[in-house]
Amino acid sequence: MEIGVQKQTDEEKQAQPGQFNKLDDSGDKKQTGYCGFLTVEYYTPYFNVTETDVINRIKATFLPFRPDFLNITKENPDLWGPIWINATLIFLITAIANLRQVDAEKENQSFEVGYVPQATALLYIIAFGTPVILAIVMKILGVDLSFFQTICLYGYSMSTLLPITILCYFQNEMFLWMIIAYGVGNSILFLIFNLKEELDKLQIQKKYIIIGIVVTMQLSLYLFYKLVFFSYVSEGKIEISSEAQGEKQPGN
């Protein structure tokens, strides 16, 4: 009986790589059965990474002139990194924005939870919506890059926002714009350099269409990030508080 159980287990282990871990011609891991994308098992292979893998992939995003990220992840694209990078960003946005507000309002200290749904909506729409657009456009234009490979590449490119969000605590307008400019440049170069091998196969017009989409989406993300979450809203609140106190004084 024990031998039979062990034999069955070995057969299952041998079947799993064939069912979940093989890559098809487009780079997606093969799944069997109809409507497989509606099952948890369909996405399980895309979380088959270690902590070391995720850390090394994040580090690679800060070296945009070394376009080896796509080669590293091509055989094993993951969703784990993009999901947790954005979850960490949501936490950092909420924490830093509220710390800035507390510093600005020493007497009336309050915490604004409105940053949570705003950050969640923005980041996850960008992180997963943009790769969908890119993947569709690139497929139409003839680029051989799968949907999950595109999500992995774009999701990891957002790791540049991690140190930028922390540094946005310092309330210096010029400094804020400098690090936002760095983030835009780094993320755009990272994406374009890693897509270069595929883009070089296209006609020049098609190539610039994809580059234009990447540049537009990154500029929109970082500008929205700066103007919404880290604008000087505290100054407006201070002015309102001062006006309110001035109105109360004549009544007293």
Side-chain angles (χ1 to χ4, degrees):
M1 294 298 292
E2 292 182 357
I3 296 175
V5 172
Q6 183 65 37
K7 182 178 180 181
Q8 184 178 6
T9 303
D10 291 339
E11 291 176 353
E12 290 176 353
K13 290 181 178 179
Q14 293 175 359
Q16 285 178 355
Q19 183 176 3
F20 296 120
N21 293 333
K22 286 185 179 179
L23 293 174
D24 58 19
D25 293 336
S26 64
D28 284 329
K29 296 176 183 179
K30 290 182 178 179
Q31 305 296 335
T32 59
Y34 296 102
C35 299
F37 67 93
L38 298 177
T39 64
V40 175
E41 288 78 9
Y42 181 86
Y43 301 95
T44 300
Y46 300 103
F47 293 88
N48 185 28
V49 289
T50 64
E51 181 180 351
T52 303
D53 293 332
V54 174
I55 292 175
N56 288 336
R57 293 178 181 192
I58 291 175
K59 289 180 180 178
T61 63
F62 293 94
L63 301 171
F65 295 103
R66 292 177 56 187
D68 56 352
F69 180 89
L70 198 57
N71 294 328
I72 295 173
T73 62
K74 199 165 188 177
E75 297 299 325
N76 187 29
D78 74 281
L79 300 179
W80 187 260
I83 288 174
W84 280 104
I85 286 170
N86 285 277
T88 305
L89 283 172
I90 292 168
F91 169 78
L92 289 175
I93 288 171
T94 307
I96 300 300
N98 279 286
L99 284 173
R100 289 184 59 176
Q101 183 175 332
V102 168
D103 288 342
E105 300 179 358
K106 299 295 184 180
E107 297 180 358
N108 301 320
Q109 295 185 359
S110 61
F111 291 92
E112 176 60 55
V113 296
Y115 287 101
V116 177
Q118 291 179 22
T120 303
L122 169 67
L123 294 176
Y124 280 106
I125 287 174
I126 293 293
F128 293 94
T130 303
V132 170
I133 298 173
L134 276 176
I136 293 174
V137 172
M138 289 192 296
K139 283 293 183 183
I140 293 174
L141 298 179
V143 176
D144 186 20
L145 200 64
S146 75
F147 171 72
F148 288 103
Q149 288 170 343
T150 309
I151 287 184
C152 180
L153 176 66
Y154 194 87
Y156 274 98
S157 74
M158 297 183 71
S159 61
T160 310
L161 285 168
L162 293 171
I164 287 177
T165 304
I166 296 174
L167 291 174
C168 276
Y169 172 80
F170 300 102
Q171 301 184 25
N172 183 290
E173 189 70 5
M174 183 176 293
F175 175 72
L176 293 179
W177 280 112
M178 286 176 61
I179 59 177
I180 289 295
Y182 160 76
V184 173
N186 186 88
S187 62
I188 290 175
L189 289 174
F190 171 76
L191 291 170
I192 292 177
F193 270 91
N194 278 279
L195 292 172
K196 185 178 184 299
E197 183 178 348
E198 298 295 332
L199 293 179
D200 288 340
K201 301 176 184 178
L202 303 177
Q203 297 177 356
I204 190 70
Q205 295 88 349
K206 296 179 179 180
K207 180 178 180 179
Y208 282 119
I209 289 174
I210 296 175
I211 292 175
I213 293 175
V214 171
V215 172
T216 301
M217 294 305 298
Q218 293 306 95
L219 282 172
S220 301
L221 168 64
Y222 281 82
L223 283 175
F224 194 86
Y225 203 85
K226 166 67 175 70
L227 298 176
V228 172
F229 299 116
F230 298 106
S231 61
Y232 284 118
V233 293
S234 58
E235 293 182 359
K237 293 181 179 180
I238 293 172
E239 291 176 3
I240 293 173
S241 300
S242 300
E243 291 176 1
Q245 291 177 0
E247 291 175 357
K248 290 180 181 180
Q249 288 178 356
N252 294 335

